[in-house]
Amino acid sequence: MTINPELQHKIIDGKIISGTLIEQVSQSVLALNKKGVKPTLAVILIGNDPASQVYVRNKKILCEKVGIESVEYKFDESLAESDLLSLIDVLNNDTNINGILVQFPIPSHISKQKTINRISPNKDVDGLHPINAGKLMNNIECLTPCTPQGSMIMIKSVAKDISGMNAVVLGRSNLVGKPMCQLLINSNCTVTQVHSKTRDIKSFTSNAHILVAAIGIPNFIKSDWVKKDAIIIDVGINRVKKDRNETSKTKLVGDVDFEDVIDKVSSITPVPGGVGLMTVACLMNNTLQATKAQHGF
Ligand code: NAD
């Protein structure tokens, strides 16, 4: 993505912000190592989904960078649900394992909810277990989903006090939209959640001081949908053709039409180079927090 240098100051740079978090996590991991504790993340990958394989590889690389041990469990598509649940039980009971991550999507014969429910809430580094979701709702400290956690850090990097601001979240998934709303409410925003059934979405987005887009539709948000000087967090990751005449080459774009809105907004996260980098950094943070809690630090 080429950005006009005059507009560069508007970019909420995922590389810089995630770099700071990664550095903090690395320092804390070193401090734990000195106490004889080695944070360890178990990653379970089922099937051959190419995107999942890339995500798991990236997580492994970052684990190595911050000093977190990662243990990978790879299975083919045919893995039985009962075998997955038994493995999770073993990992739950293994005191050397501090975090458990099942890379989604998983094959359709395995229940996603049963899988999430089986992971010990203390090791639930994705923050998806109903106990962690309930704690988040009650504003009790817990492991929170990585993408909304990273998005909040990005928002707070440009606005220290967001109390009383109108925040609109597009999307209502358990992974992004719902926990995002909860984190914003817990920071005293006035939050509106819009989704595929919402009527006249523009009437909500055009009044948003903070707009978080997590719907998976390329360039959905245009400049007449956003409020002047809004803070825009673009969670969407969409692969599109590079240009109309080009069939083979693709590029990543967000849910927000970056070039269309950048003049109008005060700050915006780019895609790529934005929220995606924060998500994996927050996974490291969650593994660290889980380890500390398990050891009573
Ligand atoms: P999802 O498919 O589970 O949810 C999409 C949501 O969008 C739904 O709640 C749906 O109601 C809403 N929606 C669909 N069409 C809409 C419309 N026309 N108007 C308003 N709302 C609409 O997706 P998800 O897992 O929440 O992910 C959303 C996007 O974020 C995807 O592009 C995904 O790839 C991306 N994502 C990025 C990261 C990251 O690290 N940057 C992490 C997770 C997901």
Side-chain angles (χ1 to χ4, degrees):
M1 180 186 292
T2 42
I3 295 158
N4 178 346
E6 281 175 27
L7 299 173
Q8 189 67 42
H9 68 281
K10 295 190 176 199
I11 304 294
I12 309 176
D13 191 328
K15 201 165 178 195
I16 294 174
I17 303 172
S18 68
T20 306
L21 179 58
I22 287 166
E23 182 52 34
Q24 287 165 359
V25 171
S26 306
Q27 293 302 326
S28 302
V29 169
L30 269 180
L32 283 180
N33 290 163
K34 285 185 187 141
K35 293 176 178 158
V37 176
K38 187 145 190 60
T40 303
L41 173 66
V43 179
I44 303 173
L45 175 63
I46 308 160
N48 298 316
D49 178 49
S52 293
Q53 286 175 342
V54 172
Y55 292 143
V56 166
R57 198 181 320 131
N58 290 344
K59 286 166 187 174
K60 191 177 174 194
I61 291 169
L62 196 53
C63 277
E64 275 166 23
K65 189 169 172 185
V66 302
I68 289 175
E69 191 88 27
S70 70
V71 191
E72 225 174 282
Y73 297 85
K74 278 189 178 176
F75 300 98
D76 67 34
E77 288 272 326
S78 63
L79 180 72
E81 182 183 90
S82 56
D83 288 340
L84 174 62
L85 298 179
S86 301
L87 171 62
I88 293 173
D89 289 342
V90 169
L91 298 172
N92 281 340
N93 291 323
D94 184 342
T95 52
N96 292 318
I97 298 289
N98 307 109
I100 302 171
L101 181 143
V102 178
Q103 183 66 48
F104 294 115
I106 52 177
S108 55
H109 66 273
I110 303 176
S111 158
K112 183 174 179 183
Q113 198 56 55
K114 258 194 203 171
T115 303
I116 291 169
N117 292 357
R118 196 66 161 242
I119 296 172
S120 161
N122 303 329
K123 299 189 177 184
D124 168 38
V125 286
D126 260 342
L128 294 173
H129 192 286
I131 289 199
N132 284 321
K135 281 186 173 175
L136 179 59
M137 191 165 200
N138 286 282
N139 208 358
I140 297 168
E141 204 178 303
C142 62
L143 294 167
T144 57
C146 300
T147 303
Q149 184 187 135
S151 299
M152 279 305 287
I153 295 172
M154 294 182 110
I155 293 168
K156 297 212 166 154
S157 76
V158 291
K160 294 277 164 291
D161 183 11
I162 58 173
S163 178
M165 286 189 180
N166 294 338
V168 171
V169 177
L170 283 99
R172 55 174 164 180
S173 67
N174 290 342
L175 183 67
V176 187
K178 282 185 202 158
M180 188 73 234
C181 284
Q182 209 53 62
L183 287 171
L184 288 161
I185 291 169
N186 294 351
S187 284
N188 299 317
C189 286
T190 303
V191 180
T192 307
Q193 183 152 46
V194 303
H195 47 77
S196 54
K197 306 283 185 221
T198 304
R199 294 177 193 172
D200 191 12
I201 293 180
K202 184 180 167 185
S203 67
F204 299 102
T205 56
S206 57
N207 198 27
H209 301 110
I210 299 169
L211 180 65
V212 182
I215 57 176
I217 305 178
N219 298 324
F220 185 77
I221 304 286
K222 305 288 180 191
S223 102
D224 58 333
W225 283 49
V226 302
K227 187 175 171 64
K228 190 172 178 309
D229 295 331
I231 299 166
I232 310 285
I233 305 296
D234 193 354
V235 176
I237 300 178
N238 310 289
R239 192 163 281 284
V240 297
K241 282 183 187 156
K242 222 164 187 171
D243 63 58
R244 271 189 220 104
N245 306 323
E246 184 65 68
T247 48
S248 57
K249 289 195 178 145
T250 60
K251 62 174 179 178
L252 293 180
V253 298
D255 293 343
V256 179
D257 189 333
F258 184 91
E259 265 127 48
D260 199 44
V261 307
I262 188 151
D263 277 330
K264 192 169 179 185
V265 303
S266 72
S267 336
I268 182 166
T269 62
V271 179
V275 177
L277 296 172
M278 291 305 292
T279 296
V280 62
C282 288
L283 173 66
M284 300 300 114
N285 187 39
N286 275 357
T287 307
L288 168 70
Q289 299 313 329
T291 309
K292 284 166 83 174
Q294 286 157 36
H295 286 270
F297 298 132

